[in-house]
Amino acid sequence: MEHINIYSGKKAISRIVTSDSIKGLGACLEPFRSIFAVIDKNIPVNSQLMEILKAKNVRIKYIVPSEEDKTLETVMDICSWLLENGADRDAMILAVGGGITTDMTGFAACIYKRGVRFGYVPTTLLSQVDAAIGGKTGVNFEKYKNILGIIRQPAFTYICPQVLESLPKRDFLSGVAELLKTFMIEDNGNYQKAADLFFDIQSEFHLEVMMYGKDEKTQWRELLKKHRKTLTALIAAAANIKAGVVSRDQFEKGERRKLNLGHTFAHAIETLAQQRGMDITHGEAVSMGIIMAAELAERLGVSQPETINVVAGLAKRLEADFRACGLPIDCPFSIDEMADCMKKDKKAEGGKVHFILPQAIGDVVIVDLTVQQVVELMNAI
Ligand code: GLY
């Protein structure tokens, strides 16, 4: 078990616990007398996690998380439930689920009775390495994603890869993109360790399923179980990096923007996919977006030649790594099609967007560019 703190100045304001077992959650909940949990309906009822919550007499509200219902109405519904059940200012509001569940429940806790304590048990890889760390809460509004919200830190986040073993492979891989993204911002040798791990998992999975005809779901679960310790260490390393960035720049005035690596492209991809009825997850869009950011960095002359493969460059190395990990790399839209969505990026300032560009693994820079400049650079032969 590892403990990581998020600081405001010298004061620890949020604690992240990483563990390869869910059992430690009980100790985390120990100080709280009155706990109200908002839980993703997809969490298996007979899981160890639910046993722990039942033993603590936690009151439970289930939600079915979706981007469409990530709204103020759902937040008000959570607040009504808290009121009806007598949650007072001493209550601990627990969110158990992926990013949509933690974002909305965190937001409800921030405004209920002008703010009560809250904690997270993220149950997707994506939320374990990104969404549940750093205190961004909020909802979608008027077609904009996460446009209403507050940055406030949860009292604790309990991160346990054991709960990921019931996650569908595609959802799991969505989080792999965010994990690799984190190590591209700060490496310490973890990028290669993660790329190797997911390559091994993919290879073993294909061997067992294609060659020996094993059941996909069972095989995936077994592989995650087999590699749980390595995965826990990588998730803890990513949480550590994000906690450091957030401690230095909680309100995203500078360094925290680096965590948006690939995201300006990704948000455009997600918007177009939604408009055209295509099924692309956030992590898949991030994977494609990071490759595009690496290409842009090369075209701007920002990225250094790759020492491993000087001829190919960073973008080609990332393409090979991401593909080997099972991530999609080819964006189905042209940069011209994406331009309009990128102009509407909510983080754009004075006509320019903060593009995060990788110089090398573990080293990214923030470059302010107009969308027009990006379109011209990406279209240049
Ligand atoms: N997901 C990026 C951040 O938390 O800043």
Side-chain angles (χ1 to χ4, degrees):
M1 191 177 284
E2 198 180 320
H3 289 199
I4 302 162
N5 285 330
I6 291 182
Y7 293 91
S8 171
K10 288 202 167 103
K11 190 172 171 233
I13 52 171
S14 183
R15 189 160 54 124
I16 299 163
V17 180
T18 57
S19 170
D20 63 1
S21 162
I22 194 68
K23 285 188 191 141
L25 176 63
C28 240
L29 298 177
E30 201 44 51
F32 307 105
R33 292 288 145 253
S34 155
I35 306 172
F36 295 79
V38 177
I39 301 185
D40 179 338
K41 190 119 181 56
N42 299 307
I43 308 290
V45 273
N46 53 359
S47 61
Q48 242 183 316
L49 167 60
M50 295 306 291
E51 293 299 320
I52 292 168
L53 299 184
K54 272 182 220 146
K56 288 287 298 174
N57 290 322
V58 170
R59 268 156 288 190
I60 290 173
K61 175 179 176 61
Y62 287 103
I63 61 166
V64 180
S66 72
E67 282 296 339
E68 294 70 49
D69 290 329
K70 192 179 178 186
T71 58
L72 280 175
E73 285 72 27
T74 310
V75 168
M76 288 190 306
D77 188 43
I78 294 171
C79 291
S80 300
W81 172 71
L82 291 171
L83 259 183
E84 279 157 22
N85 285 279
D88 59 21
R89 291 200 41 81
D90 229 24
M92 155 56 65
I93 317 297
L94 193 66
V96 182
I100 296 177
T101 306
T102 54
D103 275 13
M104 283 199 297
T105 308
F107 189 41
C110 287
I111 57 174
Y112 181 73
K113 300 200 171 175
R114 296 207 176 99
V116 293
R117 291 172 299 180
F118 61 105
Y120 291 157
V121 184
T123 59
T124 63
L125 180 58
L126 201 143
S127 58
Q128 292 193 346
V129 298
D130 191 44
I133 303 172
K136 282 187 181 175
T137 73
V139 293
N140 304 331
F141 184 62
E142 303 260 348
K143 292 195 196 146
Y144 288 94
K145 274 185 81 178
N146 304 324
I147 198 81
L148 300 180
I150 297 172
I151 293 183
R152 189 163 158 250
Q153 303 303 325
F156 70 85
T157 302
Y158 191 88
I159 297 179
C160 174
Q162 188 187 343
V163 302
L164 304 179
E165 285 157 24
S166 55
L167 212 61
K169 181 171 176 254
R170 190 169 175 211
D171 291 343
F172 181 89
L173 287 177
S174 212
V176 170
E178 293 282 3
L179 188 71
L180 292 171
K181 175 208 79 178
T182 308
F183 298 141
M184 287 185 61
I185 294 165
E186 203 175 309
D187 181 25
N188 304 322
N190 286 310
Y191 173 86
Q192 198 53 53
K193 276 188 208 156
D196 289 345
L197 172 69
F198 299 119
F199 171 70
D200 287 349
I201 292 180
Q202 280 294 333
S203 314
E204 287 180 58
F205 178 77
H206 285 296
L207 187 75
E208 298 296 336
V209 172
M210 309 282 182
M211 301 277 287
Y212 303 120
K214 294 215 178 137
D215 173 61
E216 288 195 16
K217 226 169 147 184
T218 318
Q219 194 51 36
W220 185 250
R221 187 187 291 245
E222 275 172 18
L223 281 168
L224 291 188
K225 199 169 179 178
K226 177 178 164 192
H227 293 282
R228 195 193 287 171
K229 279 218 179 315
T230 321
L231 190 57
T232 306
L234 286 168
I235 290 173
N240 224 328
I241 293 168
K242 183 154 184 192
V245 172
V246 173
S247 296
R248 291 187 293 275
D249 178 25
Q250 192 182 172
F251 297 105
E252 202 169 311
K253 301 284 179 235
E255 185 186 353
R256 186 166 180 170
R257 288 182 185 142
K258 290 183 177 177
L259 294 166
N260 297 324
L261 171 63
H263 280 62
T264 301
F265 293 118
H267 289 150
I269 293 169
E270 285 180 276
T271 306
L272 287 174
Q274 199 189 9
Q275 285 168 4
R276 298 178 191 189
M278 291 159 73
D279 180 19
I280 298 180
T281 67
H282 177 65
E284 288 166 353
V286 168
S287 169
M288 299 171 200
I290 293 174
I291 303 296
M292 293 184 82
E295 274 166 14
L296 180 59
E298 279 178 15
R299 282 159 190 256
L300 265 175
V302 163
S303 55
Q304 297 153 9
E306 261 297 294
T307 44
I308 294 176
N309 189 346
V310 177
V311 182
L314 182 62
K316 284 277 172 269
R317 175 182 172 190
L318 295 179
E319 277 185 19
D321 289 345
F322 283 26
R323 190 184 280 122
C325 290
L327 294 170
I329 53 167
D330 294 318
C331 174
F333 310 114
S334 73
I335 192 70
D336 298 282
E337 289 174 292
M338 290 163 69
D340 258 356
C341 302
M342 291 199 293
K343 281 182 195 150
K344 288 183 193 137
D345 189 305
K346 66 177 184 290
K347 293 186 176 85
E349 281 169 10
K352 292 204 168 180
V353 179
H354 309 295
F355 278 90
I356 317 304
L357 303 179
Q359 302 198 98
I361 301 292
D363 183 10
V364 299
V365 285
I366 305 169
V367 180
D368 291 349
L369 297 166
T370 63
V371 170
Q372 191 51 36
Q373 281 173 304
V374 173
V375 169
E376 281 166 17
L377 281 160
M378 296 298 272
N379 277 332
I381 314 247

